[in-house]
């Protein structure tokens, strides 16, 4: 006993000794009323100061495991109760269909994973080497100096007031009329979309979206049991003729759109089409959910207002925004801007799910944004990503025989091949160390087997060329094989 | 124009000027091809350096609103499209029953709110004046020095590995057998409980819990459409006779228990009863959800192991833990410890809800815990809260004619009055500036009208006495009135 204890750095010795003795008691090595070694004895065995052991014993007493009796020593005061009557549940019989579906649709879990040495075009996360960590640290220290301890206590379901006010102005600066609108802070787009669906749809309800569309959105819609109707998109956005027909024929409870740097295609819906879509949907009095995805990563051309800006004082557009696609995804902060009567309900749903989003993270983000860091950051990364985007486009043009190449900004491009299945390409390319996301997971109708998404944000120039050349070779070989 | 611009401190001037011009363009004051004032002109109007205006114009160009033409000036390049075709949705017709129920059960929203000058016994949050902010800052700076930028990028749904490993050891130190167990990090208890229910129950399923029980748990169970059967509790825990009868008669899909410092009663289930409950449930092969609520705030007596510790190598107990009831609730970190086969499903549900809990917060918390700050903190606050708890108990004994007074630890006590309705007491006491939580919201069957919960953690000594005396007077007056 006490011979096998290994004291390591980092955690104070007295806590390590406390943990060790606790384990002996919990495992029944020491039982009630047993006397522990004296502090002098133990300090000599462990080669630590006597005070360290005294401190360890004090904590053990504090936690209710021992009793220190003056002049007599330390005695165990805890009776371990042994209960060897275990039982085992077969979870397979208990798991809900909801959980089974969540697992089945969990592409992260089931897809090919990156391994060391691979070139991966799967990620569309920002390159964290571009994060300005010093500005972030400054934001933390400044804000905590202002808010002090209270920022670490409970906050409000709607969010941190200064951040909400900042975002309202931010949306106003995109041309959105914020009168009678309000904002709730969410844990990223994912939670925002989930909350909106919880408030507005029941199982079996019909929802219209672009086809293809964001695979996480498809997952959430399926988990809500929705009847999903995807409508094809052209280079300037959704097919409005079909949209109108579908609405006339069968209606819909909601429309979900990603007008900017659409995931996965990278298409930007033109201003004219945004208005056209808005006016069609208006006729049917249906809410539009607009995903503001990567709106900030415009590389050329003039500013395009979100659909929310075209709705003026109307209340039909629910805008879900998130910085976390370009900035600090790890802190998971997004928001919903909508009619304040709707935010009223979203607030209660949010509270029932997780009380609120981390107030510390909201406060740091607010401080970071308010002093102009975001503009500075976007200005920097836009240049970096634009060059990488152009490099990627050029490599694809050089090496890959594609049918269609899409993507006007953001952190990814989309390729349609001519009669070649992208999953077959993947099973070859992975042997050569190159992976990407097959396009079929973005389709609402099981199509898209000839397409693939190439995320370039975290891949270096050399690897982009190398990886795309490998993909090109695999594809060319497949063509010859036909 | 430009006369009404008010430059304030904090945000760089060039961004404030940028925002101002942007608004003029978005509102159609400037239209496409309009020439903006020269940088020299504007700098003189605004009394800022010319460089500031140059920088503002550079950002405007960057965002696609203007075009800077060398030697000619800055021209608007954005065409505002006016669309006055608004539409309005009547949300009342669209809101789901789920959202209506979330609103209805949102006690925070509908209950009496604290106003300045009031003495409030509603809160059971920790007193943030006890948080050691310097240790927290140190944890932030140390961890960010280790992890750097990557901690701000995407993480994993299960959580931050070092924190998970720390918590597994932490649970082992409570006597829990962690073989074949795993942990997932959640946004507090609330999300943990919601995820467990999503994985294991369908609408209409029966769940057994203590009566009264945590009101947030009742809300979540109701939102899942469960058939809730609450069983009365004695001073040593749930009525096991009724538990056995209920299980025999009608069974249950799950049992939800708060064995330590039960919310709202503050009762601790005795070790013998924990074993008894465990062995009864075992016979029926039903999962137990154990809420580890405030387990750390034991004020006297020896350590009591969680029910999870009595299940040995069995897999029937799902333990939901959270530091955030005593430490930093604002960062919302909790965890579920369960059979790893279950965590496998929880992980996919978590990912579908919000990808993951803030990795920054998890990393700071890990650093804070690993160097022994939690033990230090608990050691400090336990003394403070114990004294306050005793003071509260004494005040109640002195001033309030109660039928039963419950609560052996934690941050609250529970009072049952003799034939007096607590809501009637509240409508009188609020006039005198004292509020508390009526007990009925904790009951699964609409009972508890004579009970109230007194949270004392954030109330000062003087106010505790003053507030309880006022409550006592109101109650005595009511008795006379009968």
């Amino acid at each position: 006993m006490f011979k096998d204890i290994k004291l390591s750095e980092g955690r104070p010795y007295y806590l390590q000794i406390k943990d060790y003795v606790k384990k002996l008691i919990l495992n029944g090595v020491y039982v009630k009323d047993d006397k522990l070694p004296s502090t002098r004895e133990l300090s000599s065995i462990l080669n630590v100061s006597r005070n360290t052991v005294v401190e360890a014993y004090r904590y053990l007493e504090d936690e209710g495991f021992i009793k220190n009796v003056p002049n007599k020593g330390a005695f165990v005061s805890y009776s371990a109760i042994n209960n060897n009557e275990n039982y085992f549940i077969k979870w397979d019989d208990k798991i809900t269909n909801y959980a089974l579906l969540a697992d089945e649709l969990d592409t992260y879990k089931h897809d090919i994973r990156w391994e060391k040495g691979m070139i991966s075009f799967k990620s569309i996360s920002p390159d964290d080497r571009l994060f300005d960590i010093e500005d972030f640290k400054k934001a933390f220290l400044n804000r905590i100096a202002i808010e002090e301890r209270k920022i670490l206590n409970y906050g409000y379901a709607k969010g941190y007031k200064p951040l909400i006010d900042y975002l309202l102005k931010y949306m106003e600066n995109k041309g959105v009329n914020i009168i009678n609108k309000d904002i709730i802070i969410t844990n990223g787009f994912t939670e925002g979309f989930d909350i909106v669906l919880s408030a507005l749809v029941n199982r079996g309800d019909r929802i219209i979206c672009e086809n293809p569309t964001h695979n996480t959105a498809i997952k959430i819609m399926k988990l809500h049991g929705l009847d999903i109707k995807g409508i094809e998109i052209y280079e300037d956005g959704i097919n409005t003729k079909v949209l109108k027909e579908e609405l006339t024929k069968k209606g819909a409870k909601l429309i979900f759109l990603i007008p900017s740097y659409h995931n996965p295609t990278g298409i930007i819906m033109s201003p004219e089409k945004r208005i056209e879509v808005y006016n069609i949907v208006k006729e049917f009095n249906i809410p539009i959910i607009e995903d503001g995805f990567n709106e900030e990563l415009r590389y050329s051309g003039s500013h395009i207002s979100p659909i929310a800006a075209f709705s003026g004082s109307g209340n039909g557009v629910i805008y879900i925004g998130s910085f976390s696609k370009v900035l600090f995804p790890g802190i998971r902060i997004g928001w919903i801007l909508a009619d304040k009567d709707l935010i009223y309900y979203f607030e209660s749903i949010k509270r029932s799910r997780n009380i609120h989003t981390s107030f510390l993270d909201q406060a740091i983000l607010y401080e970071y944004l308010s002093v102009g860091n975001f503009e500075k950051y976007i200005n920097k990364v836009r240049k970096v990503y634009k060059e990488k985007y152009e490099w990627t486009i050029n490599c694809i043009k050089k090496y890959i025989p594609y049918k269609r190449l899409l993507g006007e900004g953001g952190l990814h491009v989309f390729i349609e091949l001519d009669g070649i299945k992208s999953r077959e390409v993947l099973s070859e390319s992975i042997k050569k160390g190159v992976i990407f996301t097959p396009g079929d997971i973005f389709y609402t109708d099981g199509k898209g087997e000839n397409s693939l998404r190439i995320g370039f944000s975290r891949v270096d120039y050399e690897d982009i060329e190398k990886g795309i050349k490998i993909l090109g070779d695999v594809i060319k070989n497949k063509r010859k094989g036909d």
Side-chain angles (χ1 to χ4, degrees), chain A residues 228-388:
Chain A
I228 307 166
K229 175 63 197 173
I231 294 177
E232 59 171 339
I233 47 174
Y234 297 138
E235 261 91 345
D236 69 340
I238 196 165
N239 183 331
T240 45
K241 193 167 154 279
V242 177
L243 174 64
K244 195 163 186 171
E245 278 168 17
E246 283 293 335
L247 285 173
T248 309
K249 255 195 321 198
K250 296 173 90 177
K253 254 308 186 46
L254 282 175
I255 320 277
F256 169 65
L257 298 168
I258 314 172
S260 296
Y261 312 106
H262 176 266
N263 187 3
T265 65
I267 283 173
I268 301 174
M269 195 188 288
S270 68
E272 295 72 24
K273 188 153 257 184
R274 289 174 191 227
I275 301 249
E276 194 189 344
V277 167
Y278 178 84
N279 289 335
I280 290 171
V281 176
K282 171 183 175 291
E283 277 179 54
F284 295 87
N285 205 249
I286 295 169
I288 296 172
I289 305 176
E290 175 174 21
D291 178 358
F293 183 73
N294 280 359
E295 205 162 77
E296 282 70 22
L297 286 185
R298 187 189 43 76
Y299 297 148
S300 59
S302 49
H303 172 79
I304 298 182
S305 296
I307 299 177
F310 296 125
S311 75
S313 60
N315 69 356
V317 181
I318 299 162
Y319 180 97
I320 307 179
S322 169
F323 289 125
S324 79
K325 298 285 168 38
V326 281
L327 181 74
F328 313 147
I331 63 171
R332 316 280 327 113
I333 294 186
W335 71 91
I336 312 172
L337 175 127
D339 188 328
K340 64 180 177 40
D341 291 347
L342 258 188
I343 298 290
Y344 172 88
Y345 289 103
F346 296 165
E347 181 190 340
S348 289
I349 296 173
K350 171 75 184 169
R351 189 172 283 119
S352 79
R353 296 278 171 86
N354 48 43
I355 320 277
H356 61 70
T357 292
S358 166
F359 256 51
L360 176 70
D361 294 352
Q362 293 187 57
I364 303 175
L365 184 63
Y366 164 70
E367 181 74 29
Y368 179 92
L369 297 170
S370 69
V371 298
N373 283 318
F374 185 59
E375 283 89 346
K376 207 174 83 183
Y377 168 78
I378 277 293
N379 195 263
K380 174 177 79 178
V381 304
R382 197 184 275 148
K383 287 196 189 77
V384 175
Y385 288 135
K386 182 176 189 241
E387 277 176 28
K388 229 182 210 185

Side-chain angles (χ1 to χ4, degrees), chain A residues 195-206:
Chain A
I195 289 176
V196 173
L197 294 190
S198 296
L200 293 173
V201 291
N202 292 304
R203 299 191 81 76
D205 279 347
R206 190 160 192 258

Side-chain angles (χ1 to χ4, degrees), chain A residues 97-157:
Chain A
N97 287 333
Y98 175 89
L100 292 172
L101 187 61
D103 170 44
E104 186 193 317
L105 299 172
D106 190 341
T107 51
Y108 177 84
K109 223 189 215 172
H110 302 295
D111 267 17
I112 287 161
R113 299 271 181 99
W114 178 84
E115 282 169 39
K116 225 182 147 113
M118 277 187 181
I119 298 172
S120 172
F121 294 115
K122 282 172 67 78
S123 175
I124 58 165
S125 312
D127 185 347
D128 44 59
R129 289 170 297 185
L130 298 168
F131 295 164
D132 33 13
I133 197 88
E134 290 307 320
D135 288 339
F136 188 83
K137 270 197 242 176
K138 230 180 279 166
F140 169 86
L141 292 170
N142 287 343
R143 195 45 31 185
I144 214 136
I146 293 167
E147 294 283 1
E148 295 190 298
R149 297 163 172 82
K150 69 175 190 290
I151 199 67
L152 300 175
N153 215 330
Y154 279 111
Y156 306 97

